[in-house]
Amino acid sequence: MLWYLGRRLLQVIPVFIGATLLLYALVFLRPGDPVAALGGERGLPEAVQQQIRAQFHLDQPFFVQYLYFLKGIFTFDLGNTFTGRPVSEVVADALPITFQLAIMALLIETVFGIGFGLFAGLRKGKLFDSTVLVLSLLLIALPTFVTGLVLQIVVGVQLDWLPVTAGRDPDVVSLLMPAVVLATTSFAQILRLTRTSVIENVTADFVRTARAKGLSRGRVVNRHVLRNSLIPVVTFIGVDLGNLMTGSIVTEGIFNINGVGGTLFDAISRGESVTIVTMSTVIVLVYIVANLLVDLLYAVLDPRIRYA
């Protein structure tokens, strides 16, 4: 197990370098001059522009800028934004909010998606199964901003159950509605994936054998059907954590959340390469860690999988 973890951690190094290099190249190739755009229509004096370019190393070649970025990563000194605020402070303020929102959405979609999917799979062809399939297809088809606006009007305005917007310093209650909106599409996908997997495993030979041994229905479902059905679902959930963090941009805009979405949008509009690449790199690392945890969960769900 330790050997496996060490090997996977070593794989993070080339992924990290490749991802940051690609992201930095995309930002570098972005059309326009971010320094010239700081002055608006009037523009900045040439001397001031040259000073800003020298301060942020924008007058250096691409690889020199990238090396300065790597130096800032390893020395924990990412410099400042164009507004003079430290990049590390901007990232530290935005990431916890988005991460909390993504974790809440992940819990909602996992618990309800697996629960409804298991119930529907065990009652294939019944009224509940047909209703769930139609509702899940509707949730997948609806855009996120439509779901968000509908919940804001119904739950926030008419029923007055939850705050309409989260604000700059959100708590768990104010993030509950955005988390539900963020989780809707993935909830429907987990539900359908769990249902399909349960239907396949219910008729499997090992389930028939368990029933023939006289095991109770609950034990058969929990120990054999559900456990084996969760393998593809866990794979989806592991990848979805990163998707939730990147997909929260629209949700954060609807509910006025000052998270990664708004911060990235502002950084892209100003051309702040360090902020953009740092935020994106953290999301890449989330993908890597989530997939590592998924690999470890495989051994828990399926005893045949062992990492020697």
Side-chain angles (χ1 to χ4, degrees), residues 147-270:
T147 308
L149 292 175
V150 170
L151 284 181
Q152 278 183 323
I153 295 172
V154 176
V155 179
V157 177
Q158 296 182 354
L159 299 178
D160 195 24
W161 287 352
L162 293 171
V164 177
T165 59
R168 298 187 61 86
D169 190 18
D171 54 11
V172 175
V173 176
S174 58
L175 286 177
L176 184 57
M177 193 191 303
V180 172
V181 173
L182 186 60
T184 50
T185 302
S186 297
F187 157 74
Q189 292 172 341
I190 291 176
L191 187 154
R192 299 174 74 90
L193 185 61
T194 305
R195 173 189 175 273
T196 303
S197 188
V198 167
I199 291 175
E200 291 177 356
N201 286 314
V202 162
T203 57
D205 292 337
F206 61 87
V207 174
R208 292 197 188 101
T209 303
R211 289 172 177 167
K213 289 180 178 179
L215 297 179
S216 64
R217 176 180 172 83
R219 188 174 180 83
V220 171
V221 171
N222 293 330
R223 293 292 301 273
H224 298 279
V225 177
L226 180 59
R227 188 169 182 174
N228 288 276
S229 300
L230 285 181
I231 295 177
V233 179
V234 166
T235 304
F236 176 86
I237 293 173
V239 177
D240 195 49
L241 178 58
N243 293 338
L244 290 173
M245 294 193 66
T246 56
S248 64
I249 296 177
V250 176
T251 306
E252 289 178 357
I254 296 173
F255 292 93
N256 192 27
I257 300 173
N258 188 27
V260 170
T263 304
L264 270 177
F265 181 81
D266 293 339
I268 292 171
S269 63
R270 290 194 296 263

Side-chain angles (χ1 to χ4, degrees), residues 16-17 20 24 65-75:
F16 171 80
I17 295 176
T20 54
Y24 216 96
Q65 294 185 34
Y66 178 69
L67 290 176
Y68 273 113
F69 168 75
L70 289 182
K71 177 186 176 183
I73 289 287
F74 292 117
T75 59

